[in-house]
């Protein structure tokens, strides 16, 4: 048994970097968080400065240890979880990024994806990677960097450049450039990884003109990747994309279990075990982590704007002073007064996949006020999740008993009740909403013997509250029909 006292989880999200210390009972001992800059160089483009990502992540690590008085020698392991798909290329000799990271939300490569479809590659992409040909994934972002950063292609072909998603970048920095690695879950989001053979896909690499030498080694999510130099050497022992980590943190190890995370976007994942379900309804097939720490398959519905709609109400419209106020505003009115907000700010993700759609507010009348718009924004988060749940239940051929939720916006009681009502499902909220970090900690703890088995973990995850549906079926379907009409108005494709 491992006698160290803590696991450190690094959670590198879209808007902030976090470091969370977990003790043996998986309780949070300490946490540090830093936001970092979002760059929007053109409409629909989103970038991050990878140097700032590392600086904020490193600062949270130092801060959480300082705040709690925990020494690196007391750490059994580090687990990493990260915003997925966000694409970085750096020089392997200098360690310098050649450009800002291109963020998962960025739409700049939509025309390149159109070209892939014109070239007839859509079904190849789906059968090989489980994904749809969309700008969301890393492949076309890498291609854009190679085509647009002066000298990049020649350097990549000479073997001087490395590609990584953010997990890979953090391991590279923590190991001082010694290790270039990713895990199966992150690799499965690149649109370059074959989820059948569990190898980089030579056919797609050739079609996208991406040199294989740039790619990291791929390992299971529960494994020793290298050691972080923190005065003592601490093993980096667990790694997973944030949505797969949340699935693991919610104990969804087994087939048929589903979680929905309400962070910047909303991501619903169903563990389908060894069954690679090919969606007929616009969902993705992706890699997740099974009970033994090995690969399992999952169905995923990804929507791009979840809690970020609430940030927009706060920062751009200034309708609320902070995110939690949205619950108060929404509860002041009986309904949204016919107002619908379709948050297609960066196009529509699952199940529509329309990169050119843009946001709308419909149904405004003279009686509509601030509270109605805020309520419509929260309802939009729940409507999008119903779209995903309907698609998932049809693909998997089953009716869910309950939806496990987490992420920042899951704290909103109005949203959770409306989610239960609009899906006619029980919604189960755990006591701890940091399930993403918890999942990464679980993986690292299992890999190092800090925890013995997934069976042991169940005792550490408890329920805070269950939301039970109360809305009549007539009302539910009326509301949802109104949503579908509003979505139809934003679409640029049928
Ligand atoms: N009480 C709340 N009601 C609605 N949205 C909220 C609330 N608290 C936080 N949010 C939203 O949740 C998001 C932050 O959640 P988090 O899980 O930290 O996201 P991420 O990991 O994507 O950075 C923000 O977009 C914020 O607007
Ligand atoms: O950082 P989050 O929590 O918004 O998650 C982002 C997703 O991983 C994008 O696929």
């Amino acid at each position: 048994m491992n006698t160290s006292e803590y696991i450190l989880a690094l959670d590198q999200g879209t808007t902030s970097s976090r470091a969370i210390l977990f003790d043996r009972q998986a309780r949070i001992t300490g946490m540090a968080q830093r936001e970092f800059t979002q760059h929007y160089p053109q409409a629909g483009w989103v970038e991050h400065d990878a140097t700032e990502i590392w600086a904020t992540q490193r600062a949270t690590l130092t801060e959480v240890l300082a705040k709690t008085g925990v020494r690196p020698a007391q750490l059994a392991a580090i687990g990493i979880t990260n915003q997925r798909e966000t694409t970085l290329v750096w020089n392997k000799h200098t360690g310098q990024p050649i450009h800002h990271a291109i963020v998962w939300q960025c739409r700049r490569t939509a025309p390149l994806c159109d070209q892939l479809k014109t070239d007839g590659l859509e079904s190849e992409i789906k059968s090989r990677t489980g994904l749809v040909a969309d700008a969301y994934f890393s492949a076309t972002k890498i291609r854009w960097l190679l085509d647009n950063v002066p000298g990049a292609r020649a350097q990549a072909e000479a073997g001087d450049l490395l590609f990584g998603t953010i997990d890979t970048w953090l391991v590279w920095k923590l190991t001082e450039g010694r290790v270039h690695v990713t895990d199966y879950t992150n690799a499965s989001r690149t649109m370059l990884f074959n989820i059948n053979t569990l190898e980089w896909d030579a056919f797609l690499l050739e079609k996208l003109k991406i040199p294989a030498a740039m790619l990291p080694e791929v390992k299971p999510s529960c494994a020793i990747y290298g050691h972080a130099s923190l005065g003592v050497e601490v093993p980096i022992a667990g790694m997973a994309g944030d949505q797969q980590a949340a699935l693991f943190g919610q104990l969804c190890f087994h087939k048929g279990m589903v979680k929905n995370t309400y962070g910047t976007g909303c991501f619903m994942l169903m563990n389908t075990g060894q069954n690679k379900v090919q969606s007929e309804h616009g969902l993705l097939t992706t890699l997740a982590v099974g009970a033994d720490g090995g690969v399992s398959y999952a169905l995923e519905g990804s929507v791009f704007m979840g809690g970020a709609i609430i940030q927009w109400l706060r920062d751009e419209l200034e309708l609320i002073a902070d995110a939690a106020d949205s619950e108060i505003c929404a509860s002041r009115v009986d309904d949204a007064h016919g107002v619908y907000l379709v948050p297609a700010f960066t196009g529509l993700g699952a199940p529509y996949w329309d990169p050119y759609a843009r946001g709308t507010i419909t149904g405004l009348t003279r009686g509509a006020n601030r509270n109605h718009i805020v309520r419509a924004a929260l309802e939009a988060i729940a409507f999008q999740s119903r779209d995903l749940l309907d698609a998932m239940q049809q693909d998997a051929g089953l009716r869910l008993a309950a939806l496990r939720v987490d992420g920042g916006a899951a704290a909103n009681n109005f949203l959770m009740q409306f989610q239960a009502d609009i899906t006619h499902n029980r919604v189960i909220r755990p006591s701890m909403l940091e399930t993403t970090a918890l999942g990464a900690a679980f993986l690292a703890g299992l890999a190092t013997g800090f925890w013995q088995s997934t069976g042991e973990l169940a005792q550490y995850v408890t329920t805070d509250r269950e939301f039970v549906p109360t809305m009549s079926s007539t009302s539910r379907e009326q509301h949802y029909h109104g949503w579908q009409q509003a979505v139809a108005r934003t679409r640029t494709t049928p």
Side-chain angles (χ1 to χ4, degrees), residues 417-432:
Q417 183 58 48
F418 192 77
Q419 188 69 84
D421 285 338
I422 213 65
T423 54
H424 198 60
N425 259 100
R426 279 185 307 129
V427 166
I428 301 176
R429 185 168 70 190
S431 309
M432 214 229 323

Side-chain angles (χ1 to χ4, degrees), residues 13 134 156 176 181 188 283 309 328 377:
D134 191 83
E176 296 172 342
V181 72
S188 75
L283 303 181
I309 313 169
I328 301 166

Side-chain angles (χ1 to χ4, degrees), residues 21 39 45 158 221:
L21 269 178
H39 299 270
W45 291 29
S221 304

Side-chain angles (χ1 to χ4, degrees), residues 11-16 18 33 104 242-243 261-265 267 306-312 314 322-327 378 381 406-413 415 433-434 436:
D11 179 1
Q12 206 304 300
T14 310
T15 56
S16 72
R18 272 177 273 206
Q33 177 168 9
W104 58 276
D242 53 11
Q243 303 312 321
T261 299
Y262 302 76
T264 303
F267 300 91
I309 313 169
I310 306 305
Q311 273 170 330
W312 178 74
R314 185 194 64 189
D322 84 47
D325 291 347
S326 61
E327 182 173 337
L378 287 170
I381 301 176
D406 54 53
N412 190 306
N413 294 315
L415 172 60
L433 290 178
E434 297 290 349
T436 300

